[in-house]
Amino acid sequence: MEIKAIRGFNDILPDEVGKWHFVEETAREVFEGFGFSEIRIPILERTELFSRGIGEATDIVEKEMYTFTDRSGNSLTLRPEATASMARAYLEHQLYTFDPVAKLYCIGPMFRYERPQKGRYRQFYQIDVEVFGVENPMVDAEVIVMLIHFLRRVGLEKLELQINSLGCRDCRPRYREELKKFLKQKAFQLCEDCQRRLETNPLRIFDCKVETCQEAIADAPKVNDFICPECQKHFDKVREYLEAAGLAYILNPRMVRGLDYYTRTAFEVVSYQLGSQNAVTGGGRYDNLFGELGDFDSPGIGFAIGIERLVSLLPKDREFVQYPHLFIAALGVETLIEVYQIINQLHLEGIRAELDYEGKSLKSQMRRADKLKARYVLILGENELKQGKAVLRNMETKSQEEISMEGLIDILRKKLL
Ligand code: AMP
């Protein structure tokens, strides 16, 4: 029986990979320009890191983690997100002793046992950006400015930046209680999951897609009506800095984000080009995360971009596939050793050259060159070779010219690169 990939786990095929390279290279360029450095963290961590960091009463920890016991009896989990791991690395390697401010990014796969559908997978890739060690609202705005700049650089349009403030450890409990009181009267309208969330994590009900839950929560009290003066001041400053940077945004009091560790600023960028899974990226401040992980407390803010969703939004008119510069059509086996030497040299020069290994007819080789979308074909026959000549055909204009084998590599380099 043929073995297939696991549901929700995708192959990224060669004709798609060009888009991924473009996104990842642009991310590196933009983020490094803003003073961020890459960090590479393991895919597997101790389960406790996520249950403590993300919070027991979140969907991720309750039902979406790939957790297993290894051969030594340790409970391990495939990372469902990168923030907790990045915070762990910052603490473990005491990066703060060099400078408390760490600006980091990481690119890689995450794993969540969610119900697969378009735009939602069980292995998916994120670009994750975090700033540790700064409480100042200027950095909240700076991170958002960088995010929008990056999304525009990759060519995204029809974006909407939504922001909210979720309050802090001091003011959010009061909101939670008010929300709970309000929703208790509507408990009969809530789905089974949300009835449970009402006790464990009522804010999560905002994210529920069930229609009756959405109706129940429609007139619920808003989190930003309950935030303390300190949080209000922080939020006002964030807005002021965003406005100073000329960024338009929408206040979305219903955006609460899924993870427990968020405090104060929360934001999402949605695209109206996507269907129901319209969030391309989301993030926020999490000043309580470090307290959960160790003895060293530090504020933090960051965001994660879903690469699959981002790639699906890239401009359709852009070409991301790297086609061969040149196809070498060699006629007659006698020439093959020479062709082999030429193609090796071309590859060393960075010229993408393809070859027919089977000694097929010229017609069949030209057909293959066409299929591969090679820009030029170099036709090498035994007679031409003896005379020190070859024919170069431009596949777009269909024009042909005779070129000398002497200095061939130089000629091709000038023409093709
Ligand atoms: P989160 O870590 O849940 O805040 O998600 C951040 C971003 O990752 C989202 O805006 C999506 O673009 C992407 N994302 C989250 N979960 C998935 C998933 N299961 N499949 C594909 N992309 C996802």
Side-chain angles (χ1 to χ4, degrees):
M1 200 173 65
E2 206 181 329
I3 300 172
K4 297 256 171 69
I6 312 167
R7 200 160 107 87
F9 288 67
N10 298 318
D11 298 307
I12 316 296
L13 298 178
D15 63 348
E16 276 284 299
V17 152
K19 295 181 186 168
W20 288 66
H21 286 170
F22 167 69
V23 164
E24 290 163 3
E25 277 157 24
T26 311
R28 289 198 162 90
E29 201 183 305
V30 169
F31 301 159
E32 300 211 353
F34 274 74
F36 284 72
S37 307
E38 183 171 352
I39 179 168
R40 298 193 184 194
I41 44 169
I43 280 170
L44 211 51
E45 297 269 7
R46 290 185 186 280
T47 303
E48 210 184 342
L49 175 69
F50 304 115
S51 48
R52 263 172 37 196
I54 301 173
E56 295 281 3
T58 54
D59 279 1
I60 291 186
V61 173
E62 263 181 4
K63 50 188 187 189
E64 293 174 1
M65 294 205 302
Y66 277 91
T67 297
F68 63 95
T69 307
D70 75 1
R71 290 170 196 273
S72 314
N74 301 308
S75 176
L76 305 180
T77 293
L78 285 173
R79 63 181 187 199
E81 55 109 57
T83 309
S85 305
M86 279 155 87
R88 179 206 43 74
Y90 175 77
L91 294 177
E92 187 170 337
H93 304 286
Q94 300 176 351
L95 298 183
Y96 49 83
T97 52
F98 169 65
D99 185 357
V101 182
K103 297 183 170 182
L104 305 169
Y105 72 91
C106 144
I107 303 178
M110 308 295 154
F111 303 85
R112 294 184 196 168
Y113 194 80
E114 293 192 84
R115 201 162 50 78
Q117 63 181 83
K118 189 169 183 296
R120 201 202 279 160
Y121 311 106
R122 290 181 170 170
Q123 173 175 331
F124 59 97
Y125 286 74
Q126 284 187 339
I127 305 176
D128 210 87
V129 171
E130 313 292 346
V131 181
F132 299 145
V134 194
E135 207 173 348
N136 193 307
M138 189 189 290
V139 85
D140 302 33
E142 202 181 295
V143 159
I144 296 174
V145 166
M146 177 171 87
L147 168 63
I148 300 291
H149 174 63
F150 164 71
L151 294 175
R152 287 188 185 146
R153 268 285 301 276
V154 293
L156 258 60
E157 289 169 17
K158 297 193 191 149
L159 297 174
E160 186 177 277
L161 167 65
Q162 303 184 350
I163 62 169
N164 194 18
S165 175
L166 305 181
C168 63
R169 208 182 292 201
D170 297 329
C171 53
R172 198 156 60 193
R174 199 160 66 82
Y175 172 67
R176 246 176 89 120
E177 282 319 304
E178 282 298 318
L179 183 66
K180 228 164 140 173
K181 228 191 299 170
F182 173 88
L183 285 171
K184 276 213 162 126
Q185 298 159 14
K186 310 210 169 202
F188 63 94
Q189 260 180 278
L190 299 177
C191 71
E192 216 171 287
D193 270 348
C194 284
Q195 301 219 358
R196 198 171 33 79
R197 287 178 182 136
L198 191 51
E199 291 309 321
T200 57
N201 193 352
L203 268 76
R204 293 283 297 124
I205 298 175
F206 279 104
D207 289 341
C208 183
K209 296 262 187 284
V210 175
E211 208 170 304
T212 52
C213 298
Q214 285 290 322
E215 280 164 20
I217 206 129
D219 308 316
K222 297 185 179 90
V223 60
N224 42 13
D225 289 335
F226 288 79
I227 60 179
C228 63
E230 277 303 301
C231 287
Q232 187 64 53
K233 211 163 90 193
H234 185 97
F235 195 44
D236 290 345
K237 277 280 169 202
V238 174
R239 295 178 58 180
E240 194 181 316
Y241 286 126
L242 288 177
E243 281 154 30
L247 275 196
Y249 58 81
I250 285 185
L251 290 178
N252 179 357
R254 318 195 142 269
M255 187 225 305
V256 293
R257 312 277 308 130
L259 316 185
D260 270 3
Y261 55 56
Y262 285 115
T263 51
R264 295 191 166 172
T265 318
F267 54 93
E268 274 183 9
V269 180
V270 298
S271 159
Y272 289 101
Q273 287 164 264
L274 287 177
S276 64
Q277 301 298 315
N278 62 356
V280 192
T281 165
R285 181 166 275 288
Y286 43 86
D287 296 342
N288 299 340
L289 172 66
F290 283 91
E292 297 294 333
L293 298 183
D295 300 330
F296 182 86
D297 213 357
S298 166
I301 179 158
F303 61 78
I305 306 170
I307 303 188
E308 285 83 355
R309 291 189 200 169
L310 184 57
V311 159
S312 74
L313 292 173
L314 291 180
K316 299 281 176 272
D317 53 356
R318 263 190 80 147
E319 196 66 87
F320 295 98
V321 181
Q322 302 258 28
Y323 299 113
H325 293 110
L326 184 73
F327 186 93
I328 301 181
L331 305 172
V333 274
E334 291 302 304
T335 62
L336 266 180
I337 186 73
E338 300 219 41
V339 174
Y340 168 74
Q341 279 164 339
I342 293 171
I343 204 161
N344 275 344
Q345 255 181 302
L346 290 172
H347 286 158
L348 292 177
E349 294 286 336
I351 294 174
R352 284 189 305 278
E354 273 305 320
L355 175 67
D356 167 56
Y357 298 97
E358 312 291 344
K360 294 218 175 98
S361 70
L362 179 61
K363 198 165 157 204
S364 134
Q365 293 195 46
M366 292 307 282
R367 226 183 290 129
R368 181 151 174 254
D370 209 35
K371 198 169 75 186
L372 296 178
K373 299 205 168 102
R375 278 166 47 210
Y376 285 86
V377 178
L378 186 71
I379 304 166
L380 284 173
E382 271 164 292
N383 286 342
E384 280 99 341
L385 267 185
K386 272 187 206 132
Q387 295 163 24
K389 286 186 301 200
V391 172
L392 186 66
R393 180 178 169 85
N394 181 325
M395 295 295 276
E396 201 185 329
T397 62
K398 314 273 184 246
S399 62
Q400 293 195 171
E401 61 186 305
E402 209 172 70
I403 56 174
S404 154
M405 291 299 287
E406 216 172 286
L408 176 76
I409 302 291
D410 270 347
I411 299 172
L412 290 178
R413 195 195 304 115
K414 281 195 195 106
K415 265 199 180 300
L416 303 180
L417 288 185

